[in-house]
Amino acid sequence: MTASRSAFLGSVSARFLLLCFSISLACTLPVLWFANREAEEILLADFTGRLERRRENLERHFQDGGTSLLVEKIRDRIGRGLTDEGMILLVDRDGRNLAGNLVTWPSAVRDIEGWRPVRLRRSRESPERPYLVSVTQFENGSRLLVSGLLDDREEVRLALAKALLGAFLLAMVLATLGSLVIRRHLNRMVQVVAGAASSIAAGNLSARAPRNFSLDPLDRVSEALNRILARIEGLIEENRTMTDGLAHDLRSPLTRVSASLERAAMDHVNGDPADNLQVIEQEIRLMLRMIDETLEISRAKAGIGREHFELFDLAIVLRDLFDMYLPLAQLHGVQLRLDCQDELWMDGNKGLMIRALANLIDNAFKYGLSGDEILLHAEAAQEQIIASVRDKGLGIPVDRVDEALTKYRRLSLARSLPGMGLGLPLVTAVVGLHNGSLKLEDNRPGLTAVLRLPKAKSIQATNLQHGHCRKSAPKFCAH
């Protein structure tokens, strides 16, 4: 029993109950305090006004007829019961009672200016009660005490105390109801998260949290959870594909290495094993390259490489790549052209961008040699740099573009050529690292690989940030 009580006191429901209760009291108590203060001031002002008029009338009688007329008027008022449970007393300079419903002058009343609350007894046997008292000193030394009973204010205080108790009980009810509603809402959220977590634990990554598309907090939690699940499912599927691809692509070179080792062992006995060792070296380099490119893609997707961002001119990069691939184009009888604007400045990892563009050019040479032209193009468009590599080869069917961008996936037309299926996925990862995009378009005939990259917003500011000066760039590159 004690453990369950402690668990409840430490639960979210108990905390929300306390929170709702505190909020209810925080809203109710200031209102009641203000109402009490205002009610007292209004009642006191009205009550003081009536007593003030009574005192002024008595002072006027003294001014008109002196002490004798004032004594007559006081006795007449008391005789007719016009005191409203108040007390009036007129004494001479020696303190002797001249008229009034008090026997002697109260010891608690001294010289009073204005109206003051004082607790007085009507007689020695009666209890003390709160009165509002004023004292008037006349020229002949006599004094006049006028007072009124303040029981009305006590009644107001009692009414406000009852209202406070009612507000307290109402706050308890509202806090309980509010905490139950919030607890139910939180339980729904927890059930959504727990259900999705159970699905993940059971291996069902295709399950999704239900949504009503109202964009309330529960719906937003479900939306965020579904995005996380979709991302996890995609990563696991990508990891599965990568594992299958690596196992498939590494099996062939490992088989060839094994066969070459057997032949080398035989040649070691019969002759020179140098040729077989050279084949083994080539296969090992192929496997190392495959592993390096896989790791490079993973690092780019994880955001590793942004720490090496610098300001560079993409036009100069394209010109250098053009110069590097021009002899290869002449060897194969293909016209390689470069058409780019000058000063295409961007902030990024220059080495990775060179590698991505080189991969696109390699693909153009590998799959576009059936055409007669390869074009490297780059231009600035508003806040972007659009770079493309176009060939006039066989191209890629539109319905198989997504497959071509997947790691270790090679289309049937490319299986007869050397490669690992990592070129375009690497380009996609590098472009994503730069907040850009890669799109494969039909060149009719051939393929156009289009890169959209963010242009440097402020060349001078970026220069200062990276701590180097701006380099000159060619105004136009066309070959």
Side-chain angles (χ1 to χ4, degrees):
M1 184 70 179
T2 304
S4 61
R5 182 181 302 173
S6 300
F8 173 75
L9 294 177
S11 65
V12 176
S13 300
R15 294 172 185 173
F16 271 111
L17 177 64
L18 180 60
L19 176 62
C20 294
F21 177 68
S22 301
I23 293 175
S24 299
L25 286 184
C27 295
T28 305
L29 290 179
V31 174
L32 290 177
W33 176 81
F34 179 77
N36 178 36
R37 180 179 176 183
E38 291 297 313
E40 281 199 11
E41 289 183 356
I42 292 173
L43 290 175
L44 189 60
D46 178 71
F47 188 57
T48 304
R50 288 188 282 114
L51 291 178
E52 183 68 27
R53 289 190 294 272
R54 180 180 303 173
R55 187 185 69 172
E56 290 176 353
N57 288 334
L58 294 175
E59 290 176 353
R60 190 179 304 110
H61 293 320
F62 179 81
Q63 294 173 0
D64 294 340
T67 303
S68 59
L69 180 59
L70 179 57
V71 169
E72 179 183 350
K73 293 297 182 180
I74 290 174
R75 290 174 179 174
D76 178 66
R77 178 177 291 274
I78 293 174
R80 290 189 296 163
L82 299 180
T83 58
D84 297 330
E85 294 191 56
M87 293 186 291
I88 301 176
L89 177 61
L90 178 66
V91 297
D92 60 12
R93 69 172 60 243
D94 297 325
R96 290 189 296 269
N97 187 337
L98 299 178
N101 53 6
L102 276 176
V103 179
T104 60
W105 189 270
S107 59
V109 178
R110 298 287 187 265
D111 294 335
I112 296 178
E113 296 181 1
W115 295 93
R116 298 288 181 85
V118 180
R119 299 190 67 84
L120 302 175
R121 298 176 185 270
R122 185 181 292 272
S123 63
R124 291 181 180 180
E125 295 79 14
S126 61
E128 285 188 350
R129 301 177 71 183
Y131 287 87
L132 191 63
V133 178
S134 177
V135 176
T136 301
Q137 184 79 36
F138 294 115
E139 294 86 350
N140 59 0
S142 58
R143 291 181 294 171
L144 174 66
L145 182 148
V146 179
S147 66
L149 185 62
L150 288 175
D151 277 351
D152 291 343
R153 190 169 67 171
E154 294 296 327
E155 293 176 359
V156 171
R157 287 178 176 172
L158 180 60
L160 288 174
K162 293 179 180 179
L164 179 60
L165 178 61
F168 180 81
L169 296 177
L170 180 61
M172 286 290 294
V173 173
L174 293 178
T176 303
L177 293 177
S179 63
L180 291 176
V181 171
I182 295 175
R183 178 185 179 185
R184 180 181 177 185
H185 196 67
L186 288 176
N187 284 340
R188 288 176 60 195
M189 291 185 181
V190 172
Q191 289 173 1
V192 167
V193 176
S198 299
S199 297
I200 295 175
N204 182 16
L205 296 176
S206 61
R208 295 293 183 268
R211 292 190 59 193
N212 55 12
F213 299 95
S214 62
L215 296 181
D216 62 356
L218 178 60
D219 185 62
R220 290 199 295 270
V221 169
S222 299
E223 180 186 11
L225 186 60
N226 288 341
R227 287 201 303 267
I228 294 173
L229 290 176
R231 177 62 175 164
I232 293 175
E233 185 180 15
L235 290 174
I236 292 179
E237 178 63 27
E238 184 177 339
N239 182 66
R240 184 183 296 115
T241 303
M242 181 184 70
T243 304
D244 294 343
L246 275 175
H248 178 270
D249 288 346
L250 288 176
R251 185 182 295 114
S252 297
L254 286 174
T255 302
R256 292 192 292 268
V257 168
S258 178
S260 298
L261 285 173
E262 291 179 1
R263 288 195 298 270
M266 295 176 62
D267 291 342
H268 180 69
V269 176
N270 301 326
D272 186 8
D275 293 338
N276 290 316
L277 293 177
Q278 185 177 4
V279 172
I280 294 173
E281 181 184 5
Q282 291 175 353
E283 297 295 342
I284 291 176
R285 286 181 179 178
L286 176 63
M287 289 186 289
L288 290 175
R289 181 184 171 192
M290 184 184 301
I291 295 173
D292 287 343
E293 292 200 359
T294 301
L295 293 175
E296 195 70 43
I297 293 174
S298 300
R299 285 195 292 265
K301 286 190 173 182
I304 299 174
R306 288 194 176 95
E307 67 276 9
H308 300 300
F309 274 23
E310 61 179 332
L311 184 69
F312 66 93
D313 189 352
L314 193 64
I316 296 178
V317 171
L318 284 173
R319 184 183 65 182
D320 292 341
L321 288 172
F322 172 83
D323 294 337
M324 184 175 67
Y325 280 92
L326 184 58
L328 182 62
Q330 294 172 349
L331 179 64
H332 289 87
V334 175
Q335 184 182 7
L336 179 63
R337 295 196 304 115
L338 173 64
D339 180 15
C340 65
Q341 291 184 4
D342 60 341
E343 298 191 354
L344 298 176
W345 294 92
M346 66 173 291
D347 191 30
N349 190 314
K350 185 177 179 180
L352 289 179
M353 283 306 306
I354 292 175
R355 187 167 182 180
L357 290 169
N359 275 355
L360 293 179
I361 299 173
D362 283 338
N363 284 344
F365 274 96
K366 188 181 298 183
Y367 307 113
L369 288 180
S370 58
D372 58 357
E373 180 183 86
I374 296 176
L375 173 64
L376 310 182
H377 174 79
E379 63 179 354
Q382 296 180 349
E383 299 300 322
Q384 287 185 328
I385 297 175
I386 301 176
S388 63
V389 178
R390 304 176 187 177
D391 64 67
K392 293 186 178 181
L394 298 177
I396 298 176
V398 177
D399 58 343
R400 304 195 68 181
V401 168
D402 292 338
E403 184 179 351
L405 295 174
T406 305
K407 284 188 291 188
Y408 307 110
R409 294 287 180 85
R410 304 188 70 199
L411 303 183
S412 56
L413 296 176
R415 295 190 184 276
S416 60
L417 298 173
M420 299 170 291
L422 294 174
L424 290 178
L426 177 60
V427 175
T428 303
V430 171
V431 172
L433 180 68
H434 292 78
N435 297 322
S437 64
L438 167 65
K439 185 177 182 181
L440 303 181
E441 300 177 349
D442 191 356
N443 197 30
R444 298 182 183 178
L447 181 70
T448 300
V450 182
L451 301 180
R452 294 183 180 273
L453 301 164
K455 188 167 58 175
K457 294 181 179 179
S458 175
I459 296 177
Q460 293 181 353
T462 311
N463 273 329
L464 292 175
Q465 178 182 354
H466 292 291
H468 55 71
C469 300
R470 173 178 172 181
K471 299 179 181 180
S472 61
K475 297 299 181 181
F476 184 79
C477 306
H479 299 265

